[in-house]
Amino acid sequence: MTKGRALKSRIINHLVESNLIKPNDKIVIAVSGGMDSMFLLYMLIELQEIWDIELVIGHVNHNIRPNSIHDEKFVVEQSKKLNIPVIVKQLNFYDKKSGESTEAWARDNRYTQLELIRKEQNFNKIATGHHSNDQIETILQRISEKSGISGLRGIHKSYGKVIRPILTISKSDIEKMVNDLKIKYVDDETNKNLAIPRNYFRHQIIPQWE
């Protein structure tokens, strides 16, 4: 077995053993079009062949960036290619209140729209593509914001209807699988903006530890 196939097998086994997904689950997959969410989509499609789970892609266009429409079109094209239904929801950036954090506004409204999709489809779970590096970034950001001991809790593997099946999988393993499977994705240029604290931790701090 090649390293790529062995890693894929390990990840699928992890999804099965995580106890976050059950046979016959109906799952809304939050897909932005980025590497992590596309990886999650492909892995859940693999799992779909093992268990009789039903999948639908949920894409939320925040309309913050001028080229966000390209991300939306990419996700719609991929949904047709993979034969997985997609539902797109639009946000209006001008609805953001003065002084409200853009990141917080986008996150809160994204989950609101994903929950709306779940209810509309009568599905029972929402899956997001958070991985172990996201966990580290979150903890570091909360510490920098002086959130105290509660900040060390990081991201929960499940919260309400939301599950995070790849939370313990590293970014490096995701990159290896994406390259091995030749999974297409879009790259959000704002992820390189070091003025955003999360990006600073991602590019300047965590790689040195790894």
Side-chain angles (χ1 to χ4, degrees):
M1 183 180 289
T2 64
K3 289 183 178 180
R5 287 178 61 191
L7 177 58
K8 178 180 174 181
S9 178
R10 177 167 66 82
I11 290 171
I12 295 300
N13 286 337
H14 167 76
L15 293 179
V16 170
E17 295 168 0
S18 70
N19 209 35
L20 293 175
I21 302 171
K22 308 282 188 182
N24 304 311
D25 268 345
K26 296 182 177 182
I27 304 172
V28 178
I29 312 172
V31 178
S32 66
M35 179 187 291
D36 307 331
S37 64
M38 289 302 297
F39 168 77
L40 174 64
L41 173 60
Y42 270 74
M43 291 301 100
L44 290 186
I45 289 174
E46 292 280 345
L47 191 59
Q48 189 177 37
E49 297 178 4
I50 302 173
W51 286 340
D52 187 19
I53 61 175
E54 191 173 345
L55 303 174
V56 66
I57 294 169
H59 177 78
V60 180
N61 186 340
H62 300 84
N63 288 300
I64 296 175
R65 295 175 292 114
N67 61 351
S68 65
I69 187 62
H70 298 302
D71 298 354
E72 178 183 323
K73 289 180 178 179
F74 171 79
V75 172
V76 171
E77 289 170 359
Q78 290 300 304
S79 76
K80 293 177 181 177
K81 173 185 173 184
L82 298 169
N83 197 30
I84 303 293
V86 61
I87 297 173
V88 177
K89 296 291 186 180
Q90 303 284 341
L91 295 180
N92 185 348
F93 186 58
Y94 293 104
D95 288 341
K96 186 177 80 68
K97 297 177 182 178
S98 177
E100 184 179 10
S101 160
T102 298
E103 186 177 7
W105 173 86
R107 180 187 63 245
D108 293 345
N109 283 279
R110 177 168 61 251
Y111 279 112
T112 296
Q113 294 302 316
L114 290 170
E115 173 63 9
L116 184 60
I117 294 173
R118 186 194 69 77
K119 288 181 176 179
E120 289 173 348
Q121 298 300 303
N122 197 27
F123 275 25
N124 63 319
K125 291 177 182 176
I126 299 168
T128 69
H130 293 92
H131 49 77
S132 64
N133 289 53
D134 289 321
Q135 181 74 286
I136 297 169
E137 292 168 13
T138 297
I139 292 173
L140 287 175
Q141 184 167 351
R142 289 180 180 175
I143 290 174
S144 72
E145 294 169 350
K146 300 180 181 180
S147 61
I149 297 298
S150 62
L152 298 177
R153 296 171 62 187
I155 305 171
H156 297 278
K157 67 177 183 179
S158 64
Y159 184 78
K161 301 295 184 180
V162 178
I163 60 172
R164 301 179 174 99
I166 60 172
L167 188 58
T168 59
I169 297 173
S170 70
K171 181 68 173 183
S172 60
D173 278 349
I174 291 173
E175 290 173 343
K176 289 173 186 174
M177 282 304 306
V178 165
N179 291 330
D180 190 62
L181 297 175
K182 295 180 172 57
I183 297 174
K184 292 183 178 180
Y185 63 92
V186 292
D187 194 10
D188 182 352
E189 69 276 5
T190 62
N191 288 333
K192 299 175 183 177
N193 183 358
L194 298 184
I196 300 173
R198 181 176 292 274
N199 290 343
Y200 179 79
F201 295 132
R202 178 178 303 160
H203 297 294
Q204 299 294 316
I205 304 298
I206 296 175
Q208 297 181 52
W209 290 353
E210 288 183 318

